[in-house]
Amino acid sequence: MGKGTVILAFSGGLDTSICVPLLKEQYGYDTVITVAVDVGQPEKDIRMATEKGNLIADKHYTIDIKERFVTEQIIPSIKANGSYEGYPMGTALARPLIAEEIVKIAKAEGATTVAHGCTGKGNDQLRFDFVFRKAGLTIIAPMREMNLTREWEMDYAEKHGVPISVAKDKPYSVDENCWSRSIEGGKLEDPAFHPPEEIYGWTVSPMEAPDEPRNLVIGFEKGVPVSLDGERLGGYALIRKLNEIAGACGVGRNDMIEDRILGLKAREIYEHPAATVLLKAHADLEHLVLTRQELAFKSIVDDKWSELGYMGLIEEPLFKALTAFVDTTQERVSGTVDLVLYKGCVTVVGRSAPQAIYSNDLVSFESTTIDQNDAGGFSAYYGFQARLVAQLKK
Ligand code: ARG
C-alpha cells in the first residue's frame, strides 16, 4: 500500500514526463494523475501532452483555459503595460492559473498532494508553490529535490519507456502560451553565445522579413484591444492573428539577461510578436487620453503591478488594489492606433481617440485661440527658486 494519489502538472516535456515513473518508484505513490493546461501553446504540443499523459499516467486531464487566460491575465497586463525588465511577461501570467486548475482537479480527485517539474533555480516553482500552499496541498518537486541533470533524465526516460522529443544535441527548455514563447538552457546558457535561428518558432529573422512594410490598425475600448484592421475580434483570436502577422515581419524577438526572483541572473530569449505590438499601441493611446499626472503616477503603478505579476503574487492584496487603480484609468483609453511593422520594428504612425485631451486648436502654430502673452507671466515665475540659488552662489 503506497501513498495514494498525486496530481502532476504536466506539459509532456522531458521533466514532467519522467516525473510519472519517479513519483511511483522514488516517492511511493500508487496513482499518478497528469493534468495538461491549455493556455494557447501550439496545438500539437497539447495533443502530444494529452496522448503522452493517457499513455504513461493512470489518468489524464487536458483543461482548456485559453479564454480565461486572456480575460483574467493578458488583458489586465495590457492595461498595466505589463513588462519585466523590458519584456512583456508571459510565463509569469500563466503559471498561477495553471496552478489553480491543478488545485481544482486535486479537490475533485480527493488528492492532497500535487507535483510539478520545476527546478529549484527558476521562478516557476515559486509561482506554483504559492497557489498550492494557499490551497493547503503538499508539494512534491522532483527536479528540485533530486538535483537531476538533463543527461540523467534522458537516460531515465529511455529506461522507463517514456517517449521524449528533446534531442540530446538540442536541449532547450521552451515555455509557451499565446502571449509569449520563452527559450532557455543548453548552449544558450552562455550569455556570449549567439542564438541559432533554429530556436525561434514564432518569428522570422528580421533580416529575412519581407521588404514591404505591413500597415496595421488596432482598435481599443477601455484599454482592451477589440479590433484588428477594422475587424472586431475576441481577445484570443486577435492575439493569435497578430502573432502571425507581426511574427512574419520579424517583430517581437528579445535576447536578454534577466534577474530572477531568487537573484540568479539568467540568459533568456523570448518571442512575443502580438504583445510587442499591443503594448506599444496601448501605451501610445494612453499618452493621448491620460493627463500628465495620471501618466506619471500610473507608470509607477505599472512597474509595481508588473513586479508582483512577475513574482506570481496575484493574490497579494496590493496587486488587487493596483489592478483596481489601473482599471479606473482605462475608462477613457478607447480609440485606434495605426502602426507600421517592418523588419523587426514596430512604429506608431497615427492615433485618434474620442476622449483625447489633445487640442489641435490650442497647440497649433497657426491658431490664436490662446493669448501667448499669458505665458509671459507664467514664465516670470518659472524656475524661480533655482534662479535665487544661482544668484546666492555668485
Ligand atoms: N524567465 C521567464 C520567467 O520567469 C521564463 C521562464 C520559462 N520557464 C521555463 N520553464 N522554460 O517568466
Side-chain angles (χ1 to χ4, degrees), residues 181-205:
R181 178 171 186 268
S182 86
I183 314 111
E184 53 186 25
K187 290 197 192 119
L188 303 173
E189 287 177 350
D190 173 1
F193 177 74
H194 296 200
E197 211 37 48
E198 61 173 18
I199 65 163
Y200 296 104
W202 292 10
T203 54
V204 302
S205 160

Short mmCIF file of all heavy atoms in Angstrom, two decimals, residues 181-205:
data_model
loop_
_atom_site.label_atom_id
_atom_site.label_comp_id
_atom_site.label_asym_id
_atom_site.label_seq_id
_atom_site.Cartn_x
_atom_site.Cartn_y
_atom_site.Cartn_z
N ARG A 181 6.63 33.18 -25.96
CA ARG A 181 7.37 31.92 -26.04
C ARG A 181 8.75 32.19 -25.47
O ARG A 181 9.42 33.13 -25.89
CB ARG A 181 7.46 31.49 -27.50
CG ARG A 181 8.24 30.22 -27.74
CD ARG A 181 8.08 29.76 -29.21
NE ARG A 181 8.71 28.46 -29.41
CZ ARG A 181 9.97 28.29 -29.81
NH1 ARG A 181 10.73 29.33 -30.06
NH2 ARG A 181 10.47 27.08 -29.94
N SER A 182 9.16 31.38 -24.49
CA SER A 182 10.49 31.59 -23.90
C SER A 182 11.37 30.40 -24.19
O SER A 182 10.92 29.26 -24.20
CB SER A 182 10.38 31.84 -22.39
OG SER A 182 10.36 30.61 -21.71
N ILE A 183 12.64 30.69 -24.46
CA ILE A 183 13.59 29.63 -24.79
C ILE A 183 14.81 29.83 -23.90
O ILE A 183 15.35 30.94 -23.83
CB ILE A 183 14.05 29.69 -26.27
CG1 ILE A 183 12.85 29.89 -27.19
CG2 ILE A 183 14.82 28.43 -26.66
CD1 ILE A 183 12.79 31.22 -27.88
N GLU A 184 15.22 28.78 -23.21
CA GLU A 184 16.41 28.89 -22.37
C GLU A 184 17.12 27.54 -22.31
O GLU A 184 16.62 26.55 -22.80
CB GLU A 184 16.03 29.39 -20.96
CG GLU A 184 14.94 28.56 -20.32
CD GLU A 184 14.44 29.10 -18.98
OE1 GLU A 184 14.53 30.29 -18.71
OE2 GLU A 184 13.94 28.29 -18.20
N GLY A 185 18.29 27.54 -21.69
CA GLY A 185 19.02 26.29 -21.48
C GLY A 185 19.95 25.91 -22.61
O GLY A 185 20.07 26.62 -23.62
N GLY A 186 20.59 24.79 -22.45
CA GLY A 186 21.55 24.31 -23.45
C GLY A 186 22.67 25.32 -23.67
O GLY A 186 23.11 26.00 -22.74
N LYS A 187 23.06 25.43 -24.92
CA LYS A 187 24.17 26.34 -25.25
C LYS A 187 23.82 27.79 -24.97
O LYS A 187 24.69 28.64 -24.82
CB LYS A 187 24.52 26.20 -26.74
CG LYS A 187 25.17 24.89 -27.10
CD LYS A 187 25.85 25.06 -28.47
CE LYS A 187 26.27 23.71 -29.03
NZ LYS A 187 25.61 23.40 -30.31
N LEU A 188 22.50 28.11 -24.89
CA LEU A 188 22.08 29.49 -24.64
C LEU A 188 22.50 29.97 -23.26
O LEU A 188 22.47 31.16 -22.98
CB LEU A 188 20.56 29.61 -24.79
CG LEU A 188 19.96 29.17 -26.13
CD1 LEU A 188 18.44 29.19 -26.06
CD2 LEU A 188 20.45 30.08 -27.25
N GLU A 189 22.87 29.03 -22.39
CA GLU A 189 23.27 29.41 -21.03
C GLU A 189 24.56 30.22 -21.02
O GLU A 189 24.88 30.87 -20.03
CB GLU A 189 23.37 28.18 -20.14
CG GLU A 189 21.99 27.65 -19.79
CD GLU A 189 22.00 26.38 -18.97
OE1 GLU A 189 23.09 25.78 -18.81
OE2 GLU A 189 20.92 25.99 -18.50
N ASP A 190 25.31 30.16 -22.12
CA ASP A 190 26.48 31.03 -22.24
C ASP A 190 25.98 32.35 -22.83
O ASP A 190 25.58 32.41 -23.99
CB ASP A 190 27.51 30.38 -23.17
CG ASP A 190 28.67 31.31 -23.47
OD1 ASP A 190 28.69 32.46 -22.95
OD2 ASP A 190 29.56 30.91 -24.24
N PRO A 191 26.00 33.42 -22.02
CA PRO A 191 25.42 34.69 -22.49
C PRO A 191 26.13 35.25 -23.72
O PRO A 191 25.57 36.09 -24.43
CB PRO A 191 25.59 35.64 -21.31
CG PRO A 191 26.23 34.88 -20.21
CD PRO A 191 26.55 33.50 -20.66
N ALA A 192 27.34 34.78 -23.97
CA ALA A 192 28.09 35.27 -25.13
C ALA A 192 27.75 34.48 -26.40
O ALA A 192 28.07 34.92 -27.51
CB ALA A 192 29.59 35.18 -24.85
N PHE A 193 27.09 33.36 -26.23
CA PHE A 193 26.76 32.50 -27.38
C PHE A 193 25.64 33.14 -28.23
O PHE A 193 24.61 33.54 -27.70
CB PHE A 193 26.31 31.13 -26.86
CG PHE A 193 25.88 30.17 -27.92
CD1 PHE A 193 26.79 29.54 -28.75
CD2 PHE A 193 24.52 29.89 -28.10
CE1 PHE A 193 26.38 28.65 -29.74
CE2 PHE A 193 24.10 29.00 -29.08
CZ PHE A 193 25.03 28.39 -29.90
N HIS A 194 25.86 33.23 -29.53
CA HIS A 194 24.84 33.83 -30.40
C HIS A 194 23.74 32.81 -30.68
O HIS A 194 24.04 31.70 -31.10
CB HIS A 194 25.47 34.27 -31.73
CG HIS A 194 26.48 35.35 -31.58
ND1 HIS A 194 26.86 36.17 -32.62
CD2 HIS A 194 27.20 35.77 -30.50
CE1 HIS A 194 27.77 37.03 -32.20
NE2 HIS A 194 28.00 36.81 -30.92
N PRO A 195 22.48 33.18 -30.45
CA PRO A 195 21.39 32.20 -30.63
C PRO A 195 21.26 31.75 -32.09
O PRO A 195 21.21 32.60 -32.98
CB PRO A 195 20.14 32.97 -30.20
CG PRO A 195 20.51 34.40 -30.22
CD PRO A 195 21.98 34.50 -30.02
N PRO A 196 21.20 30.44 -32.30
CA PRO A 196 21.00 29.96 -33.66
C PRO A 196 19.55 30.17 -34.09
O PRO A 196 18.64 30.19 -33.26
CB PRO A 196 21.31 28.46 -33.55
CG PRO A 196 21.08 28.12 -32.12
CD PRO A 196 21.34 29.36 -31.31
N GLU A 197 19.32 30.31 -35.38
CA GLU A 197 18.00 30.59 -35.93
C GLU A 197 16.99 29.49 -35.54
O GLU A 197 15.79 29.76 -35.37
CB GLU A 197 18.14 30.69 -37.45
CG GLU A 197 17.20 31.61 -38.18
CD GLU A 197 16.81 32.91 -37.51
OE1 GLU A 197 17.68 33.65 -37.02
OE2 GLU A 197 15.60 33.21 -37.49
N GLU A 198 17.46 28.27 -35.36
CA GLU A 198 16.56 27.13 -35.09
C GLU A 198 15.76 27.25 -33.78
O GLU A 198 14.76 26.57 -33.61
CB GLU A 198 17.38 25.84 -35.03
CG GLU A 198 18.40 25.90 -33.90
CD GLU A 198 19.16 24.61 -33.64
OE1 GLU A 198 19.16 23.73 -34.52
OE2 GLU A 198 19.74 24.50 -32.54
N ILE A 199 16.20 28.12 -32.86
CA ILE A 199 15.46 28.20 -31.59
C ILE A 199 14.14 28.94 -31.74
O ILE A 199 13.27 28.83 -30.91
CB ILE A 199 16.28 28.90 -30.47
CG1 ILE A 199 16.54 30.37 -30.82
CG2 ILE A 199 17.59 28.16 -30.21
CD1 ILE A 199 16.98 31.19 -29.63
N TYR A 200 14.00 29.73 -32.80
CA TYR A 200 12.80 30.56 -32.95
C TYR A 200 11.65 29.79 -33.59
O TYR A 200 11.86 29.00 -34.52
CB TYR A 200 13.12 31.82 -33.77
CG TYR A 200 14.11 32.71 -33.08
CD1 TYR A 200 15.45 32.77 -33.49
CD2 TYR A 200 13.73 33.47 -31.98
CE1 TYR A 200 16.37 33.58 -32.84
CE2 TYR A 200 14.63 34.28 -31.31
CZ TYR A 200 15.95 34.34 -31.74
OH TYR A 200 16.86 35.13 -31.09
N GLY A 201 10.46 30.03 -33.07
CA GLY A 201 9.30 29.30 -33.57
C GLY A 201 8.18 30.20 -34.06
O GLY A 201 7.33 29.79 -34.85
N TRP A 202 8.14 31.44 -33.59
CA TRP A 202 7.01 32.32 -33.92
C TRP A 202 7.40 33.46 -34.85
O TRP A 202 6.53 34.17 -35.35
CB TRP A 202 6.45 32.99 -32.65
CG TRP A 202 5.76 32.10 -31.69
CD1 TRP A 202 5.71 30.73 -31.68
CD2 TRP A 202 5.00 32.53 -30.55
NE1 TRP A 202 5.00 30.30 -30.61
CE2 TRP A 202 4.54 31.37 -29.90
CE3 TRP A 202 4.68 33.78 -30.02
CZ2 TRP A 202 3.76 31.43 -28.74
CZ3 TRP A 202 3.90 33.83 -28.88
CH2 TRP A 202 3.45 32.66 -28.25
N THR A 203 8.69 33.71 -34.98
CA THR A 203 9.13 34.90 -35.72
C THR A 203 10.13 34.52 -36.80
O THR A 203 10.93 33.60 -36.61
CB THR A 203 9.84 35.89 -34.76
OG1 THR A 203 10.90 35.19 -34.08
CG2 THR A 203 8.88 36.47 -33.76
N VAL A 204 10.10 35.23 -37.91
CA VAL A 204 11.18 35.07 -38.90
C VAL A 204 12.29 36.04 -38.47
O VAL A 204 12.05 36.99 -37.72
CB VAL A 204 10.72 35.39 -40.34
CG1 VAL A 204 9.56 34.52 -40.75
CG2 VAL A 204 10.37 36.87 -40.49
N SER A 205 13.49 35.79 -38.96
CA SER A 205 14.57 36.71 -38.69
C SER A 205 14.23 38.05 -39.34
O SER A 205 13.79 38.09 -40.49
CB SER A 205 15.86 36.15 -39.28
OG SER A 205 16.79 37.21 -39.44
#
